[in-house]
Amino acid sequence: MRTCYSLIVMLATTLLLQAQESQPLSGVVLDSKTGFPVPYASILIKNKQQGMGATGKGTFRLHLSLGDTLQISSIGYETLTIGLDSSNTNFSEVSIFKLNPAVYDLDSLEIFELSDHFYLKRPKRDTLDIGVRLPAVPRDWSRPQTLPLTTGEAGVIITGFLNSFDKTLKQKQILNEFSKADAFRKQRAAEREKYFNKELVKRVTRIDDRVIDEFMEFCNFLDGQIIGKTEYEITLLILERYKAFLRR
C-alpha cells in the first residue's frame, strides 16, 4: 500500500514538473476579420514580465510553460489575454492567435493645414510693414465734395482743385515707405556680410573662386540663422551645406 502511494506521488510530481517546464511555442498573430497577419504585435508573458515583438509577418517563437498568462496587443486592436493550459496549447504545432480590430469613439475631429517644413524650428523671416493704407472709399476730387460741419449743418463745398494734391501726397507717402524698406534691406545685407562672407567661406571650405558665388547662393541662409551667431556655429552650417553642394 505504501509503495502504491509513493508511485502516485512520484507520477503527480513528474506531471507537475512537465507542466511547469518551459517549452518553445511557435505562434502567429492574425486579424480576426481579414485573416491577414498583424505585424510587430507585442507578446508578453504577464506572470513572468517577459516578452518580445512579432515579426513583420506576425510570427513569433517564445519559451512558455503551461499555466503562463499570454497577453498579445497591437495598435488598432483589442488586447488578447489568454491562460495557457493543455486544452488550448500544443507545443508541437503553430498556434494561431486572432486579434479583434478596436473601435474608437471620437468626440470631434479637427482638420487643419500645416505649412511646409512645419517640423523644423526655423526662425521667423524678418518682415517690414511699409504702412501703405488705401481708403476704403476713395473720394473723387474731380467732382464737388461737401464736407459737413460738426454742428450737423451743411458744410463747405470743395471742388476738384484738391484732386492732384491728393494724388501727389499719396505718391510721396508710398515712395517714402519704399525708401524705408530699401534702406532696411541694405542695412540687413550689410549685417549679413559681417557674419557670412566670402573670406569666411574660403577659410572653411577652400572652395574655388569660380564657384564660390554659386555656393553662397546655394546656402540660402535665413537672417536669423547667421546674424548674431558665433563663427563656430556659422562654420558648422557652412560645412553642412558644402557637403550637400558636393553631392548635387
Side-chain angles (χ1 to χ4, degrees):
M1 184 67 180
R2 181 176 298 178
T3 303
C4 182
Y5 177 76
S6 300
L7 289 175
I8 293 175
V9 172
M10 291 177 60
L11 180 61
T13 304
T14 302
L15 293 176
L16 180 62
L17 290 174
Q18 288 180 348
Q20 293 179 346
E21 183 181 356
S22 177
Q23 302 181 57
L25 175 69
S26 297
V28 59
V29 185
L30 302 178
D31 186 303
S32 62
K33 289 189 175 181
T34 64
F36 292 148
V38 178
Y40 310 113
S42 298
I43 317 296
L44 175 66
I45 309 174
K46 289 192 65 176
N47 55 299
K48 296 180 180 178
Q49 292 301 311
Q50 299 176 358
M52 64 176 297
T55 65
K57 297 181 179 180
T59 60
F60 67 91
R61 184 177 176 85
L62 192 62
H63 282 77
L64 298 165
S65 304
L66 294 179
D68 287 343
T69 300
L70 194 63
Q71 178 178 289
I72 303 176
S73 60
S74 183
I75 297 177
Y77 292 90
E78 296 177 357
T79 299
L80 173 65
T81 303
I82 181 172
L84 302 181
D85 53 40
S86 57
S87 64
N88 60 16
T89 307
N90 188 346
F91 290 98
S92 61
E93 297 180 357
V94 177
S95 300
I96 297 176
F97 301 91
K98 295 184 178 181
L99 298 183
N100 296 322
V103 178
Y104 299 98
D105 294 328
L106 300 179
D107 294 334
S108 61
L109 180 65
E110 181 180 358
I111 300 176
F112 57 93
E113 182 181 2
L114 295 174
S115 62
D116 294 339
H117 308 299
F118 70 95
Y119 48 86
L120 297 180
K121 296 181 180 179
R122 292 184 173 178
K124 294 183 178 180
R125 294 179 180 272
D126 294 309
T127 58
L128 177 65
D129 183 6
I130 62 175
V132 178
R133 301 288 187 271
L134 297 178
V137 182
R139 290 181 178 271
D140 183 5
W141 294 107
S142 62
R143 297 181 180 181
Q145 301 289 332
T146 301
L147 302 181
L149 300 177
T150 56
T151 58
E153 302 176 358
V156 181
I157 298 178
I158 302 178
T159 56
F161 80 94
L162 291 177
N163 187 40
S164 59
F165 173 77
D166 184 68
K167 287 183 179 179
T168 302
L169 179 61
K170 288 181 181 179
Q171 289 176 352
K172 287 183 177 180
Q173 290 175 343
I174 294 175
L175 290 176
N176 184 44
E177 297 300 337
F178 277 112
S179 177
K180 291 181 180 178
D182 185 60
F184 175 81
R185 180 186 60 80
K186 292 179 179 179
Q187 179 184 0
R188 186 49 60 95
E191 190 74 11
R192 286 176 58 93
E193 180 70 18
K194 291 193 300 185
Y195 293 94
F196 180 63
N197 49 64
K198 291 184 178 181
E199 180 182 353
L200 176 61
V201 171
K202 285 183 179 180
R203 192 166 70 248
V204 172
T205 63
R206 308 297 182 187
I207 194 170
D208 194 288
D209 289 338
R210 292 172 294 182
V211 294
I212 190 171
D213 291 327
E214 181 183 356
F215 171 67
M216 294 184 69
E217 184 178 354
F218 177 81
C219 288
N220 195 28
F221 294 135
L222 298 177
D223 291 345
Q225 290 180 283
I226 57 176
I227 293 179
K229 304 298 181 181
T230 64
E231 185 173 309
Y232 174 73
E233 291 174 320
I234 298 176
T235 298
L236 294 180
L237 291 175
I238 293 174
L239 290 176
E240 182 180 352
R241 295 302 293 158
Y242 188 57
K243 291 178 183 178
F245 184 76
L246 296 177
R247 290 195 300 265
R248 292 178 308 160

